[in-house]
Amino acid sequence: MNTTIRSTRRARHGLRSYAVGAAAAAALLATTACEPGEADVAVAPSTPPAASSPAASAAPGDGDNGDADDSGSVALCTHQELSFSATRYDAPGEQLRHIMVVAVNTGGTTCEVQNAPEITLGDAQGPAPVMEGTEPGEPFALAPGEKAYAGVLTTGGHRDTYEVTFMNLTLGSPGGEAEAEEPVELEMPTEGSFQADDGQRVTGWQPTEGLAMRPVTLS
């Protein structure tokens, strides 16, 4: 009887010891799992240095065109940058009625021409009017060595004529941006003189000879 009781007590004590040991082991595992190891620590990536933008790093004035002002537009041509000539445009033996005026950029930079040349034939009271339908559009640029053309019709109305012994040209002052320059005297396109009347006309500056001369030769 007593032997049985003692055996039962030992069995219960063994079970209690096992349960306590198992609980302690579980607690130890839980504690270990909660403590981060070296491999578990997240390392924040280092922030790369900010890249400088091309606009910020470009030096002022880089890529500027020497022919343009600060706004990027090309300046208008002046008399000092151009040379002018006047050539007879009629067949040999015909009365002189058509003249081709050529402006050549003899400067070192690109400039623009616009509107029409102001060409005065001899003692006329003012420059020849611009022929209807030949008014130029937007200004166009002349690089060094390039040319602009204008046509002149000396007579066009069977009106009273007068004798022309000299010709003057000016680029004028388009839009009033600057004072008009002094007129340039053109070399005469023929020996001696030629006739003009109030029907005289001039075309706007054109980039090609054909565009300038076709309207006046058809008149």
PDB file of all heavy atoms in Angstrom, residues 182-211:
ATOM      1  N   GLU A 182      22.311 107.445 -93.617  1.00  0.00           N
ATOM      2  CA  GLU A 182      22.501 108.318 -94.769  1.00  0.00           C
ATOM      3  C   GLU A 182      22.380 107.496 -96.054  1.00  0.00           C
ATOM      4  O   GLU A 182      22.837 106.347 -96.110  1.00  0.00           O
ATOM      5  CB  GLU A 182      23.878 108.977 -94.701  1.00  0.00           C
ATOM      6  CG  GLU A 182      24.002 110.042 -93.617  1.00  0.00           C
ATOM      7  CD  GLU A 182      23.076 111.217 -93.870  1.00  0.00           C
ATOM      8  OE1 GLU A 182      22.934 111.617 -95.052  1.00  0.00           O
ATOM      9  OE2 GLU A 182      22.481 111.721 -92.897  1.00  0.00           O
ATOM     10  N   PRO A 183      21.767 108.041 -97.106  1.00  0.00           N
ATOM     11  CA  PRO A 183      21.607 107.283 -98.356  1.00  0.00           C
ATOM     12  C   PRO A 183      22.956 106.900 -98.968  1.00  0.00           C
ATOM     13  O   PRO A 183      23.958 107.587 -98.798  1.00  0.00           O
ATOM     14  CB  PRO A 183      20.857 108.266 -99.263  1.00  0.00           C
ATOM     15  CG  PRO A 183      20.206 109.239 -98.328  1.00  0.00           C
ATOM     16  CD  PRO A 183      21.130 109.365 -97.164  1.00  0.00           C
ATOM     17  N   VAL A 184      22.925 105.777 -99.670  1.00  0.00           N
ATOM     18  CA  VAL A 184      24.086 105.300-100.418  1.00  0.00           C
ATOM     19  C   VAL A 184      23.827 105.593-101.891  1.00  0.00           C
ATOM     20  O   VAL A 184      22.757 105.276-102.419  1.00  0.00           O
ATOM     21  CB  VAL A 184      24.283 103.785-100.208  1.00  0.00           C
ATOM     22  CG1 VAL A 184      25.397 103.255-101.103  1.00  0.00           C
ATOM     23  CG2 VAL A 184      24.573 103.483 -98.749  1.00  0.00           C
ATOM     24  N   GLU A 185      24.804 106.204-102.585  1.00  0.00           N
ATOM     25  CA  GLU A 185      24.636 106.462-104.015  1.00  0.00           C
ATOM     26  C   GLU A 185      25.032 105.219-104.800  1.00  0.00           C
ATOM     27  O   GLU A 185      26.143 104.697-104.642  1.00  0.00           O
ATOM     28  CB  GLU A 185      25.468 107.652-104.480  1.00  0.00           C
ATOM     29  CG  GLU A 185      25.192 108.028-105.926  1.00  0.00           C
ATOM     30  CD  GLU A 185      25.784 109.369-106.326  1.00  0.00           C
ATOM     31  OE1 GLU A 185      26.188 110.122-105.420  1.00  0.00           O
ATOM     32  OE2 GLU A 185      25.827 109.651-107.536  1.00  0.00           O
ATOM     33  N   LEU A 186      24.105 104.726-105.609  1.00  0.00           N
ATOM     34  CA  LEU A 186      24.350 103.528-106.414  1.00  0.00           C
ATOM     35  C   LEU A 186      25.034 103.901-107.725  1.00  0.00           C
ATOM     36  O   LEU A 186      24.761 104.960-108.311  1.00  0.00           O
ATOM     37  CB  LEU A 186      23.029 102.823-106.733  1.00  0.00           C
ATOM     38  CG  LEU A 186      22.273 102.195-105.560  1.00  0.00           C
ATOM     39  CD1 LEU A 186      20.891 101.736-106.025  1.00  0.00           C
ATOM     40  CD2 LEU A 186      23.051 101.025-104.983  1.00  0.00           C
ATOM     41  N   GLU A 187      25.899 103.044-108.166  1.00  0.00           N
ATOM     42  CA  GLU A 187      26.489 103.248-109.485  1.00  0.00           C
ATOM     43  C   GLU A 187      25.410 103.050-110.546  1.00  0.00           C
ATOM     44  O   GLU A 187      24.603 102.112-110.465  1.00  0.00           O
ATOM     45  CB  GLU A 187      27.623 102.254-109.705  1.00  0.00           C
ATOM     46  CG  GLU A 187      28.391 102.461-110.990  1.00  0.00           C
ATOM     47  CD  GLU A 187      29.587 101.539-111.113  1.00  0.00           C
ATOM     48  OE1 GLU A 187      29.955 100.894-110.108  1.00  0.00           O
ATOM     49  OE2 GLU A 187      30.151 101.459-112.220  1.00  0.00           O
ATOM     50  N   MET A 188      25.388 103.892-111.514  1.00  0.00           N
ATOM     51  CA  MET A 188      24.353 103.833-112.551  1.00  0.00           C
ATOM     52  C   MET A 188      24.454 102.515-113.336  1.00  0.00           C
ATOM     53  O   MET A 188      25.551 102.027-113.629  1.00  0.00           O
ATOM     54  CB  MET A 188      24.482 105.013-113.499  1.00  0.00           C
ATOM     55  CG  MET A 188      24.120 106.337-112.867  1.00  0.00           C
ATOM     56  SD  MET A 188      22.338 106.549-112.657  1.00  0.00           S
ATOM     57  CE  MET A 188      21.841 106.877-114.354  1.00  0.00           C
ATOM     58  N   PRO A 189      23.288 101.923-113.672  1.00  0.00           N
ATOM     59  CA  PRO A 189      23.300 100.640-114.392  1.00  0.00           C
ATOM     60  C   PRO A 189      23.569 100.793-115.891  1.00  0.00           C
ATOM     61  O   PRO A 189      23.603  99.797-116.608  1.00  0.00           O
ATOM     62  CB  PRO A 189      21.895 100.107-114.153  1.00  0.00           C
ATOM     63  CG  PRO A 189      21.055 101.331-113.994  1.00  0.00           C
ATOM     64  CD  PRO A 189      21.926 102.335-113.309  1.00  0.00           C
ATOM     65  N   THR A 190      23.716 102.005-116.350  1.00  0.00           N
ATOM     66  CA  THR A 190      23.972 102.247-117.769  1.00  0.00           C
ATOM     67  C   THR A 190      24.806 103.511-117.905  1.00  0.00           C
ATOM     68  O   THR A 190      24.843 104.348-116.978  1.00  0.00           O
ATOM     69  CB  THR A 190      22.649 102.398-118.547  1.00  0.00           C
ATOM     70  OG1 THR A 190      22.931 102.495-119.947  1.00  0.00           O
ATOM     71  CG2 THR A 190      21.890 103.622-118.100  1.00  0.00           C
ATOM     72  N   GLU A 191      25.469 103.643-119.021  1.00  0.00           N
ATOM     73  CA  GLU A 191      26.227 104.872-119.260  1.00  0.00           C
ATOM     74  C   GLU A 191      25.265 106.034-119.508  1.00  0.00           C
ATOM     75  O   GLU A 191      24.216 105.874-120.125  1.00  0.00           O
ATOM     76  CB  GLU A 191      27.144 104.695-120.476  1.00  0.00           C
ATOM     77  CG  GLU A 191      28.278 103.701-120.252  1.00  0.00           C
ATOM     78  CD  GLU A 191      29.198 103.624-121.457  1.00  0.00           C
ATOM     79  OE1 GLU A 191      29.022 104.443-122.390  1.00  0.00           O
ATOM     80  OE2 GLU A 191      30.087 102.754-121.456  1.00  0.00           O
ATOM     81  N   GLY A 192      25.643 107.175-119.032  1.00  0.00           N
ATOM     82  CA  GLY A 192      24.787 108.338-119.231  1.00  0.00           C
ATOM     83  C   GLY A 192      23.596 108.339-118.297  1.00  0.00           C
ATOM     84  O   GLY A 192      23.738 108.216-117.085  1.00  0.00           O
ATOM     85  N   SER A 193      22.391 108.399-118.859  1.00  0.00           N
ATOM     86  CA  SER A 193      21.171 108.530-118.068  1.00  0.00           C
ATOM     87  C   SER A 193      20.100 107.603-118.618  1.00  0.00           C
ATOM     88  O   SER A 193      20.269 106.949-119.643  1.00  0.00           O
ATOM     89  CB  SER A 193      20.680 109.982-118.088  1.00  0.00           C
ATOM     90  OG  SER A 193      20.364 110.367-119.416  1.00  0.00           O
ATOM     91  N   PHE A 194      18.985 107.547-117.900  1.00  0.00           N
ATOM     92  CA  PHE A 194      17.822 106.788-118.383  1.00  0.00           C
ATOM     93  C   PHE A 194      16.569 107.527-117.964  1.00  0.00           C
ATOM     94  O   PHE A 194      16.605 108.457-117.152  1.00  0.00           O
ATOM     95  CB  PHE A 194      17.830 105.340-117.878  1.00  0.00           C
ATOM     96  CG  PHE A 194      17.783 105.202-116.374  1.00  0.00           C
ATOM     97  CD1 PHE A 194      16.572 105.165-115.689  1.00  0.00           C
ATOM     98  CD2 PHE A 194      18.964 105.084-115.638  1.00  0.00           C
ATOM     99  CE1 PHE A 194      16.530 105.025-114.307  1.00  0.00           C
ATOM    100  CE2 PHE A 194      18.927 104.940-114.260  1.00  0.00           C
ATOM    101  CZ  PHE A 194      17.718 104.917-113.588  1.00  0.00           C
ATOM    102  N   GLN A 195      15.444 107.106-118.506  1.00  0.00           N
ATOM    103  CA  GLN A 195      14.172 107.763-118.264  1.00  0.00           C
ATOM    104  C   GLN A 195      13.381 107.063-117.156  1.00  0.00           C
ATOM    105  O   GLN A 195      13.418 105.848-117.017  1.00  0.00           O
ATOM    106  CB  GLN A 195      13.331 107.791-119.544  1.00  0.00           C
ATOM    107  CG  GLN A 195      13.973 108.545-120.696  1.00  0.00           C
ATOM    108  CD  GLN A 195      14.135 110.028-120.394  1.00  0.00           C
ATOM    109  OE1 GLN A 195      13.155 110.704-120.042  1.00  0.00           O
ATOM    110  NE2 GLN A 195      15.352 110.540-120.525  1.00  0.00           N
ATOM    111  N   ALA A 196      12.664 107.863-116.373  1.00  0.00           N
ATOM    112  CA  ALA A 196      11.769 107.338-115.341  1.00  0.00           C
ATOM    113  C   ALA A 196      10.491 108.163-115.343  1.00  0.00           C
ATOM    114  O   ALA A 196      10.463 109.296-115.847  1.00  0.00           O
ATOM    115  CB  ALA A 196      12.434 107.389-113.974  1.00  0.00           C
ATOM    116  N   ASP A 197       9.428 107.604-114.791  1.00  0.00           N
ATOM    117  CA  ASP A 197       8.181 108.362-114.641  1.00  0.00           C
ATOM    118  C   ASP A 197       7.524 108.000-113.319  1.00  0.00           C
ATOM    119  O   ASP A 197       8.085 107.252-112.510  1.00  0.00           O
ATOM    120  CB  ASP A 197       7.250 108.132-115.834  1.00  0.00           C
ATOM    121  CG  ASP A 197       6.759 106.693-115.948  1.00  0.00           C
ATOM    122  OD1 ASP A 197       6.824 105.951-114.941  1.00  0.00           O
ATOM    123  OD2 ASP A 197       6.318 106.296-117.045  1.00  0.00           O
ATOM    124  N   ASP A 198       6.315 108.520-113.123  1.00  0.00           N
ATOM    125  CA  ASP A 198       5.638 108.297-111.837  1.00  0.00           C
ATOM    126  C   ASP A 198       5.109 106.880-111.679  1.00  0.00           C
ATOM    127  O   ASP A 198       4.588 106.529-110.618  1.00  0.00           O
ATOM    128  CB  ASP A 198       4.480 109.294-111.671  1.00  0.00           C
ATOM    129  CG  ASP A 198       4.988 110.718-111.464  1.00  0.00           C
ATOM    130  OD1 ASP A 198       6.169 110.866-111.083  1.00  0.00           O
ATOM    131  OD2 ASP A 198       4.215 111.669-111.703  1.00  0.00           O
ATOM    132  N   GLY A 199       5.248 106.078-112.704  1.00  0.00           N
ATOM    133  CA  GLY A 199       4.845 104.676-112.590  1.00  0.00           C
ATOM    134  C   GLY A 199       5.961 103.786-112.064  1.00  0.00           C
ATOM    135  O   GLY A 199       5.802 102.567-111.993  1.00  0.00           O
ATOM    136  N   GLN A 200       7.069 104.379-111.661  1.00  0.00           N
ATOM    137  CA  GLN A 200       8.204 103.590-111.133  1.00  0.00           C
ATOM    138  C   GLN A 200       7.785 102.812-109.883  1.00  0.00           C
ATOM    139  O   GLN A 200       6.970 103.281-109.083  1.00  0.00           O
ATOM    140  CB  GLN A 200       9.375 104.511-110.814  1.00  0.00           C
ATOM    141  CG  GLN A 200       9.058 105.549-109.749  1.00  0.00           C
ATOM    142  CD  GLN A 200      10.169 106.566-109.576  1.00  0.00           C
ATOM    143  OE1 GLN A 200      10.928 106.492-108.625  1.00  0.00           O
ATOM    144  NE2 GLN A 200      10.261 107.528-110.523  1.00  0.00           N
ATOM    145  N   ARG A 201       8.367 101.641-109.723  1.00  0.00           N
ATOM    146  CA  ARG A 201       8.051 100.774-108.584  1.00  0.00           C
ATOM    147  C   ARG A 201       9.309 100.000-108.157  1.00  0.00           C
ATOM    148  O   ARG A 201      10.245  99.838-108.943  1.00  0.00           O
ATOM    149  CB  ARG A 201       6.938  99.761-108.927  1.00  0.00           C
ATOM    150  CG  ARG A 201       5.579 100.386-109.204  1.00  0.00           C
ATOM    151  CD  ARG A 201       4.959 100.960-107.943  1.00  0.00           C
ATOM    152  NE  ARG A 201       3.617 101.449-108.175  1.00  0.00           N
ATOM    153  CZ  ARG A 201       3.317 102.698-108.536  1.00  0.00           C
ATOM    154  NH1 ARG A 201       4.299 103.585-108.762  1.00  0.00           N
ATOM    155  NH2 ARG A 201       2.067 103.074-108.691  1.00  0.00           N
ATOM    156  N   VAL A 202       9.302  99.503-106.919  1.00  0.00           N
ATOM    157  CA  VAL A 202      10.384  98.667-106.408  1.00  0.00           C
ATOM    158  C   VAL A 202       9.760  97.484-105.681  1.00  0.00           C
ATOM    159  O   VAL A 202       8.660  97.603-105.114  1.00  0.00           O
ATOM    160  CB  VAL A 202      11.308  99.472-105.457  1.00  0.00           C
ATOM    161  CG1 VAL A 202      10.555  99.923-104.212  1.00  0.00           C
ATOM    162  CG2 VAL A 202      12.528  98.635-105.041  1.00  0.00           C
ATOM    163  N   THR A 203      10.419  96.343-105.728  1.00  0.00           N
ATOM    164  CA  THR A 203       9.922  95.179-104.980  1.00  0.00           C
ATOM    165  C   THR A 203      10.578  95.124-103.605  1.00  0.00           C
ATOM    166  O   THR A 203      11.602  95.761-103.365  1.00  0.00           O
ATOM    167  CB  THR A 203      10.236  93.856-105.711  1.00  0.00           C
ATOM    168  OG1 THR A 203      11.646  93.606-105.671  1.00  0.00           O
ATOM    169  CG2 THR A 203       9.770  93.904-107.152  1.00  0.00           C
ATOM    170  N   GLY A 204       9.965  94.358-102.715  1.00  0.00           N
ATOM    171  CA  GLY A 204      10.604  94.112-101.427  1.00  0.00           C
ATOM    172  C   GLY A 204      11.846  93.247-101.589  1.00  0.00           C
ATOM    173  O   GLY A 204      12.036  92.598-102.622  1.00  0.00           O
ATOM    174  N   TRP A 205      12.698  93.251-100.562  1.00  0.00           N
ATOM    175  CA  TRP A 205      13.884  92.386-100.601  1.00  0.00           C
ATOM    176  C   TRP A 205      13.458  90.929-100.723  1.00  0.00           C
ATOM    177  O   TRP A 205      12.519  90.483-100.052  1.00  0.00           O
ATOM    178  CB  TRP A 205      14.715  92.554 -99.340  1.00  0.00           C
ATOM    179  CG  TRP A 205      15.471  93.843 -99.214  1.00  0.00           C
ATOM    180  CD1 TRP A 205      15.295  94.802 -98.259  1.00  0.00           C
ATOM    181  CD2 TRP A 205      16.545  94.297-100.055  1.00  0.00           C
ATOM    182  NE1 TRP A 205      16.184  95.834 -98.455  1.00  0.00           N
ATOM    183  CE2 TRP A 205      16.962  95.551 -99.553  1.00  0.00           C
ATOM    184  CE3 TRP A 205      17.178  93.775-101.187  1.00  0.00           C
ATOM    185  CZ2 TRP A 205      17.996  96.287-100.131  1.00  0.00           C
ATOM    186  CZ3 TRP A 205      18.203  94.512-101.764  1.00  0.00           C
ATOM    187  CH2 TRP A 205      18.604  95.745-101.245  1.00  0.00           C
ATOM    188  N   GLN A 206      14.162  90.205-101.576  1.00  0.00           N
ATOM    189  CA  GLN A 206      13.866  88.790-101.798  1.00  0.00           C
ATOM    190  C   GLN A 206      15.158  87.978-101.707  1.00  0.00           C
ATOM    191  O   GLN A 206      16.252  88.490-101.996  1.00  0.00           O
ATOM    192  CB  GLN A 206      13.231  88.573-103.177  1.00  0.00           C
ATOM    193  CG  GLN A 206      11.950  89.339-103.418  1.00  0.00           C
ATOM    194  CD  GLN A 206      10.800  88.877-102.539  1.00  0.00           C
ATOM    195  OE1 GLN A 206      10.834  87.776-101.990  1.00  0.00           O
ATOM    196  NE2 GLN A 206       9.788  89.720-102.392  1.00  0.00           N
ATOM    197  N   PRO A 207      15.047  86.703-101.334  1.00  0.00           N
ATOM    198  CA  PRO A 207      16.258  85.876-101.206  1.00  0.00           C
ATOM    199  C   PRO A 207      16.788  85.349-102.533  1.00  0.00           C
ATOM    200  O   PRO A 207      17.891  84.797-102.576  1.00  0.00           O
ATOM    201  CB  PRO A 207      15.799  84.729-100.302  1.00  0.00           C
ATOM    202  CG  PRO A 207      14.326  84.633-100.542  1.00  0.00           C
ATOM    203  CD  PRO A 207      13.850  86.019-100.803  1.00  0.00           C
ATOM    204  N   THR A 208      16.014  85.478-103.631  1.00  0.00           N
ATOM    205  CA  THR A 208      16.478  84.984-104.928  1.00  0.00           C
ATOM    206  C   THR A 208      16.245  86.043-106.009  1.00  0.00           C
ATOM    207  O   THR A 208      15.338  86.876-105.912  1.00  0.00           O
ATOM    208  CB  THR A 208      15.757  83.688-105.351  1.00  0.00           C
ATOM    209  OG1 THR A 208      14.382  83.982-105.611  1.00  0.00           O
ATOM    210  CG2 THR A 208      15.871  82.613-104.275  1.00  0.00           C
ATOM    211  N   GLU A 209      17.041  85.966-107.070  1.00  0.00           N
ATOM    212  CA  GLU A 209      16.908  86.887-108.197  1.00  0.00           C
ATOM    213  C   GLU A 209      15.552  86.746-108.874  1.00  0.00           C
ATOM    214  O   GLU A 209      14.900  87.741-109.223  1.00  0.00           O
ATOM    215  CB  GLU A 209      18.025  86.600-109.196  1.00  0.00           C
ATOM    216  CG  GLU A 209      17.986  87.407-110.459  1.00  0.00           C
ATOM    217  CD  GLU A 209      19.135  87.062-111.402  1.00  0.00           C
ATOM    218  OE1 GLU A 209      20.188  86.594-110.929  1.00  0.00           O
ATOM    219  OE2 GLU A 209      18.965  87.257-112.630  1.00  0.00           O
ATOM    220  N   GLY A 210      15.089  85.518-109.068  1.00  0.00           N
ATOM    221  CA  GLY A 210      13.814  85.291-109.746  1.00  0.00           C
ATOM    222  C   GLY A 210      12.649  85.919-109.029  1.00  0.00           C
ATOM    223  O   GLY A 210      11.771  86.537-109.661  1.00  0.00           O
ATOM    224  N   LEU A 211      12.594  85.782-107.708  1.00  0.00           N
ATOM    225  CA  LEU A 211      11.485  86.351-106.946  1.00  0.00           C
ATOM    226  C   LEU A 211      11.472  87.871-107.040  1.00  0.00           C
ATOM    227  O   LEU A 211      10.402  88.498-107.031  1.00  0.00           O
ATOM    228  CB  LEU A 211      11.579  85.921-105.483  1.00  0.00           C
ATOM    229  CG  LEU A 211      11.278  84.454-105.181  1.00  0.00           C
ATOM    230  CD1 LEU A 211      11.552  84.137-103.714  1.00  0.00           C
ATOM    231  CD2 LEU A 211       9.830  84.118-105.542  1.00  0.00           C
TER     232      LEU A 211
END
